[in-house]
Amino acid sequence: ISHEVGAAAGANIVAGVFQAVLVLGLVVIAAMVDELRAAVSLAAMAPAVFLLTNRVFSPQYLVTVLAAWAVAIALLAESPRQQLVMGLLAFGVTLANVLVYPTGVLLWPTFTAILFLLASVLTGWLIARSLALGRGVLREHPAVITGHGFGGVCGKSGSARRRWPTA
């Protein structure tokens, strides 16, 4: 299904800048986090955010997005209940994706909206869990202390701790 949306002339530029800011922000934060699970899950969310915020969406993009979610869920879910809820959100996205085309002109906008709503909730939840896991480390990162990271939003305290496994 392809429909012309009649976007304003500058909309493509704004969409591209928005997408780039989100993806690059995730990559920068993932590089600053010293907690391995948080860093890997944030890095896994980068392609998901890129594909979900792309101005053109294709159903097969969800294959990559589902793989990214699976990695992050495996690293971040703390209980079987969280695994179930996150898995049900991913299932809801997949089901809505399947129902977009066969429902025809009348209902495809509804299932598309459901798809992006559930995808946004799950992606946001996984990013928030990653940030919560790495929050203590982010507060102590030297770039944050000197004001070059998050503008002091995360606070400041002692020196950065390294939590990456050593070889």
Side-chain angles (χ1 to χ4, degrees):
I1 297 176
S2 178
H3 294 280
E4 184 64 39
V5 294
N12 287 338
I13 295 170
V14 171
V17 169
F18 177 71
Q19 182 183 35
V21 167
L22 289 177
V23 172
L24 290 174
L26 273 178
V27 171
V28 167
I29 293 170
M32 292 178 66
V33 172
D34 287 336
E35 172 59 42
L36 182 59
R37 289 185 306 147
V40 171
S41 60
L42 285 168
M45 288 297 94
V49 168
F50 175 82
L51 293 171
L52 291 170
T53 59
N54 202 5
R55 65 183 189 86
V56 176
F57 183 78
S58 187
Q60 66 266 22
Y61 291 175
L62 281 184
V63 174
T64 302
V65 173
L66 285 167
W69 288 337
V71 168
I73 291 169
L75 292 170
L76 298 172
E78 294 181 342
S79 69
R81 183 177 181 179
Q82 275 189 358
Q83 290 173 343
L84 177 64
V85 172
M86 291 176 178
L88 286 174
L89 284 170
F91 170 75
V93 171
T94 304
L95 180 61
N97 188 42
V98 168
L99 294 174
V100 166
Y101 180 74
T103 57
V105 176
L106 295 178
L107 291 176
W108 79 262
T110 303
F111 288 113
T112 301
I114 292 169
L115 183 155
F116 282 102
L117 174 67
L118 294 178
S120 298
V121 167
L122 181 55
T123 303
W125 187 9
L126 290 168
I127 291 170
R129 295 273 310 128
S130 298
L131 294 175
L133 182 62
R135 184 180 306 137
V137 178
L138 282 174
R139 283 191 182 127
E140 299 175 355
H141 196 281
V144 175
I145 294 169
T146 60
H148 298 294
F150 300 101
V153 171
C154 295
K156 49 187 171 180
S157 60
S159 63
R161 293 179 300 207
R162 185 143 183 92
R163 293 190 185 175
W164 290 84
T166 54

